[in-house]
């Protein structure tokens, strides 16, 4: 019944301006309690105001107050358009509120209807052009949509995922990045550096999947194109990069919830840095992220490493910070594989000074004394690879009369500065200790350093993820070899005498 009444009201309003007041019959159900009623009203509003926009029956330009327009000497045409434009604004306000509705179906309808109006307003602008060729895109309406996608106190990831299809349009993506930057500035300045977990997670959900174009010729998909499109910023890749960079920098300059640091750092090198005009501006964020600790510190160093090698960033404390991450936990944490993969990358250059590599070798060996077997089977080939890259460090293995245990060792484990650790004055007695390890595979791997190493590095990629379960399973599945117990195989319980007894009893 409600659907039929709304359809009748829609036909009446579109059929004659005399029935304009019946628009309230369509707007009122938007605030209803019944989901079906709200959905029906939303679809009706979409058809009504979509038709009015296409017909040009909404006032264009700065909207006068409704009372003032009635009092002044406006034409009947203008009075109608002003009045109907106010009803349109009421509809937009109701739809914006419905983005926070309890039912996702209502949220989705409100989102799609608002984006339909964005498209129609871009084609039939309600903004009066300041000069010929000026931009008339409905940025304010799109800002309303973005604000609705970024609530402060609830997770909007489902609705944001629904919105991602619109982000494929180059113009929508450009204006959304600007709207997000504005939203962050308005919201986060009020928090006094206190994280807003839901809001910041929503922002990340919205901006992290953004696919930026690599070159200007890739920018071909626009929701709407104006006549002079090529002259506007929205068609320039440089402008898109500037907006993208400003958005990320405004997001990352505020303190994040701990979990978000990791999510940002994981996508940093692929999805953010390549599309920034000045990637080195990320150094402040990476320095803060390093202070969080654990896996986040490691990922932050990965970002710094990329800036150093690909963008010529000068960061002299990089290896000092990396060295400080080497503690007993590295052999036990769940991100051990990632840690050693990145450590291998960071120490891959053959131009690193010998004292620095020696400090890493020594600390890794010292920490290995308390490591589990599965970690040792990975780190021992890792140490061998470092010796292959840096032959000057082999003195740590072949130093005659070197220290035999910790009490004689000149190496200073507690020293934070690798150059002051005296690692090159020491030797790897820890590896000799591991040659007596209870696990035969570990002892065998440690004994490799007693021989001259081949020039070809060991591939440790298959060992990074090795677990205790896999190691145990491998041992269980080993087939035991036949072990000879006697030189001559026995033929009976008492050997040859057994044959004599057998003959004796046979004679009897």
């Amino acid at each position: 019944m409600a659907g039929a009444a709304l359809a009748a009201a829609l036909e009446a309003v579109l059929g004659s301006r005399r029935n304009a007041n019946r628009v309230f019959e369509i707007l009122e159900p938007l605030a209803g309690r019944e989901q079906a009623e709200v959905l029906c009203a939303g679809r009706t509003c979409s058809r009504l105001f979509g038709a009015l926009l296409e017909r040009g029956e909404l006032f264009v330009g700065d909207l006068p107050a409704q009372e003032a327009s009635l009092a002044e000497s406006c034409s009947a045409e203008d009075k109608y358009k002003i009045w109907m434009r106010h009803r349109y604004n009421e509809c937009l306000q109701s739809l914006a509120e419905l983005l926070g509705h309890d039912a996702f179906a209502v949220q989705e309808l409100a989102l799609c209807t608002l984006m339909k109006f964005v498209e129609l307003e871009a084609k039939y602008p309600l903004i009066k052009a300041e000069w010929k060729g000026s931009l008339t895109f409905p940025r304010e309406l799109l800002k309303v949509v973005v604000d609705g996608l970024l609530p402060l106190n609830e997770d909007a990831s489902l609705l944001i995922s629904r919105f991602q299809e619109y982000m494929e349009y180059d113009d929508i993506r450009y204006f959304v990045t600007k709207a997000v930057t504005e939203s962050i500035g308005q919201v986060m300045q009020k928090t006094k550096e206190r994280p807003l977990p839901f809001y910041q997670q929503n922002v990340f959900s919205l901006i992290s999947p953004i696919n930026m174009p690599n070159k200007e010729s890739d920018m071909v998909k626009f929701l709407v194109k104006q006549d002079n499109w090529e002259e506007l910023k929205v068609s320039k890749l440089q402008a898109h990069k500037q907006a993208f960079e400003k958005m990320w920098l405004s997001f990352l300059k505020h303190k994040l919830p701990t979990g978000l640091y990791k999510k940002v750092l994981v996508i940093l090198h692929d999805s953010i840095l390549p599309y920034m005009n000045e990637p080195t501006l990320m150094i402040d964020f990476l320095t803060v992220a390093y202070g969080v600790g654990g896996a986040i510190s490691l990922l932050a160093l990965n970002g710094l490493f990329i800036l150093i090698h690909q963008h010529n960033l000068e960061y002299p404390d990089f290896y000092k910070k990396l060295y400080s991450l080497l503690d007993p936990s590295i052999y036990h944490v769940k991100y051990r594989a990632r840690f050693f993969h990145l450590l291998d990358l960071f120490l891959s250059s053959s131009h690193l000074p010998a004292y620095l590599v020696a400090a890493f070798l020594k600390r890794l060996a010292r920490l290995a004394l308390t490591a589990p077997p599965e970690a040792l089977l990975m780190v021992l080939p890792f140490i061998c690879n470092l010796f292959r890259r840096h032959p000057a460090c082999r003195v740590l293995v072949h130093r005659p009369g070197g220290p035999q245990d910790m009490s004689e060792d000149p190496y200073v484990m507690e020293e934070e500065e690798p150059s002051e650790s005296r690692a090159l004055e020491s030797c790897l007695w820890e590896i000799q200790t591991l040659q007596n390890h209870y696990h035969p595979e570990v002892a065998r791997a440690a004994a490799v350093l007693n021989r001259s190493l081949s020039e070809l590095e060991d591939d440790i990629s298959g060992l990074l993820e090795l677990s205790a379960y896999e190691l145990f399973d491998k041992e269980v599945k080993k087939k035991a070899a036949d072990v000879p117990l006697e030189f001559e195989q026995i033929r009976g319980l008492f050997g040859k005498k057994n044959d004599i007894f057998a003959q004796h009893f046979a004679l009897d």
Side-chain angles (χ1 to χ4, degrees):
M1 184 64 184
L6 286 170
L10 173 66
E11 187 176 352
V13 174
L14 293 178
S16 173
R17 291 185 177 182
R18 294 178 181 179
N19 300 318
N21 278 329
R22 294 195 66 181
V23 72
F24 293 110
E25 297 177 27
I26 300 173
L27 293 175
E28 286 175 5
L30 285 175
R33 294 183 177 180
E34 294 294 328
Q35 180 178 327
E37 182 184 14
V38 175
L39 290 172
C40 190
R43 287 189 285 266
T44 306
C45 283
S46 175
R47 290 194 290 271
L48 170 62
F49 291 107
L52 293 176
L53 280 163
E54 290 173 350
R55 290 181 185 182
E57 294 188 13
L58 298 179
F59 183 81
V60 176
D62 294 331
L63 185 62
Q66 189 170 318
E67 296 77 10
S69 66
L70 295 175
E72 294 173 2
S73 56
C74 293
S75 66
E77 176 81 6
D78 284 343
K79 286 181 180 179
Y80 169 78
K81 288 184 176 182
I82 291 170
W83 186 86
M84 194 57 80
R85 173 81 181 273
H86 279 285
R87 305 291 78 76
Y88 174 63
N89 285 353
E90 290 172 7
C91 174
L92 295 180
Q93 185 177 351
S94 296
L95 289 171
E97 292 173 358
L98 289 177
L99 289 174
H101 196 276
D102 293 337
F104 177 72
V106 175
Q107 295 176 9
E108 185 179 27
L109 176 71
L111 175 65
C112 295
T113 305
L114 285 168
M115 290 307 296
K116 175 186 174 182
F117 290 154
V118 167
E119 182 177 4
L120 288 172
E121 280 197 40
K123 289 180 180 177
Y124 312 100
L126 297 180
I127 303 169
K128 188 172 288 186
E130 297 178 8
W131 61 86
K132 187 177 180 181
S134 63
L135 184 66
T136 54
F137 191 91
R139 287 171 287 183
E140 290 301 318
L141 179 53
L142 187 59
K143 176 68 164 57
V144 169
V145 176
V146 170
D147 288 342
L149 292 172
L150 304 175
L152 300 184
N153 299 310
E154 60 183 76
D155 180 12
S157 56
L158 187 59
L159 188 61
I160 290 170
S161 66
R162 179 66 178 83
F163 179 73
Q164 290 301 334
E165 68 179 66
Y166 297 103
M167 295 289 277
E168 296 175 7
Y169 294 99
D170 294 302
D171 48 352
I172 293 292
R173 184 184 62 246
Y174 175 72
F175 291 115
V176 165
T177 56
K178 284 184 163 292
V180 170
T181 304
E182 188 179 341
S183 171
I184 293 169
Q186 292 169 347
V187 173
M188 295 307 298
Q189 68 178 0
K190 302 174 184 176
T191 67
K192 297 180 180 179
E193 294 306 312
R194 177 175 51 86
L196 292 175
F198 282 114
Y199 174 76
Q200 289 171 298
Q201 177 59 55
N202 288 332
V203 172
F204 180 77
S205 298
L206 179 60
I207 67 178
S208 59
I210 289 179
N211 290 316
M212 288 287 289
N214 291 309
K215 50 186 184 294
E216 208 157 288
S217 58
D218 293 337
M219 296 168 55
V220 294
K221 191 174 182 181
F222 293 90
L223 191 68
V224 176
K225 284 189 177 181
Q226 290 184 211
D227 294 336
N228 63 327
W229 198 249
E230 293 78 9
E231 302 173 14
L232 300 173
K233 278 187 176 182
V234 70
S235 66
K236 308 297 183 185
L237 179 60
Q238 186 70 7
H240 281 248
K241 283 190 170 185
Q242 287 174 349
F244 180 82
E245 179 179 275
K246 188 175 180 181
M247 174 188 68
W248 273 107
L249 290 175
S250 65
F251 177 61
L252 298 178
K253 77 177 182 180
H254 300 284
K255 186 177 180 181
L256 302 178
T258 303
L260 260 187
Y261 278 104
K262 186 175 181 181
K263 292 180 181 179
V264 172
L265 290 165
V266 165
I267 68 168
L268 184 70
H269 62 290
D270 286 332
S271 303
I272 303 176
L273 292 180
Y275 307 107
M276 295 181 69
N277 288 322
E278 295 185 57
T280 52
L281 292 174
M282 294 294 286
I283 187 170
D284 290 338
F285 164 71
L286 292 170
T287 303
V288 171
Y290 172 82
V292 175
I296 294 172
S297 296
L298 179 68
L299 292 170
L301 285 181
N302 187 37
L304 287 169
F305 187 77
I306 292 169
L307 293 181
I308 291 168
H309 282 262
Q310 297 180 11
H311 303 284
N312 300 318
L313 174 72
E314 292 187 11
Y315 196 80
D317 286 341
F318 178 81
Y319 284 99
K320 178 182 176 182
K321 289 183 179 293
L322 177 62
Y323 185 69
S324 69
L325 293 182
L326 300 183
D327 60 36
S329 69
I330 61 169
Y331 292 123
H332 303 273
V333 290
K334 62 181 179 181
Y335 59 87
R336 184 186 71 205
R338 177 183 286 273
F339 182 93
F340 279 94
H341 169 74
L342 292 176
L343 186 62
D344 189 44
L345 174 66
F346 300 155
L347 298 176
S348 59
S349 173
S350 59
H351 300 292
L352 293 175
Y355 76 83
L356 180 67
V357 179
F360 278 91
L361 281 166
K362 188 64 181 173
R363 182 166 278 195
L364 285 171
R366 180 68 60 84
L367 296 173
L369 293 175
T370 57
E374 63 273 14
L376 290 172
L377 290 176
M378 175 270 300
V379 77
L380 288 168
F382 182 90
I383 288 173
C384 290
N385 286 346
L386 289 180
F387 278 120
R388 290 183 175 100
R389 294 173 202 165
H390 307 277
C393 293
R394 292 184 183 179
V395 65
L396 296 176
V397 178
H398 304 293
R399 169 167 279 133
Q404 300 300 310
D405 57 34
M406 196 179 300
S407 62
E408 303 175 6
D409 199 339
Y411 172 68
V412 184
M413 179 77 170
E414 296 75 21
E415 176 58 53
E416 295 181 359
E417 187 64 57
S419 60
E420 304 294 330
S421 66
R422 300 177 64 189
L424 267 179
E425 302 173 29
S426 180
C427 72
L428 293 188
W429 57 265
E430 296 91 345
I431 302 300
Q432 292 179 323
T433 302
L434 291 174
Q435 290 172 8
N436 298 314
H437 197 275
Y438 70 86
H439 198 291
E441 292 289 336
V442 173
R444 195 175 299 117
V448 169
L449 282 171
N450 291 340
R451 306 188 296 271
S452 60
L453 295 172
S454 62
E455 292 185 6
L456 191 65
E457 289 192 10
D458 294 325
D459 181 12
I460 65 168
S461 58
L463 301 171
L464 292 174
E465 304 271 3
L466 186 65
S467 67
Y469 173 80
E470 290 172 328
L471 194 59
F472 180 79
D473 192 53
K474 181 181 176 182
E475 291 295 324
V476 169
K477 290 179 178 178
K478 277 185 178 178
K479 292 184 178 179
D482 293 332
V483 181
L485 301 176
E486 289 284 348
F487 179 73
E488 293 183 2
Q489 187 174 359
I490 60 171
R491 295 189 298 172
L493 183 61
F494 301 106
K496 293 182 179 179
K497 292 182 179 179
N498 192 38
D499 296 336
I500 297 173
F501 291 146
Q503 293 174 8
H504 174 71
F505 289 119
L507 293 173
D508 292 343

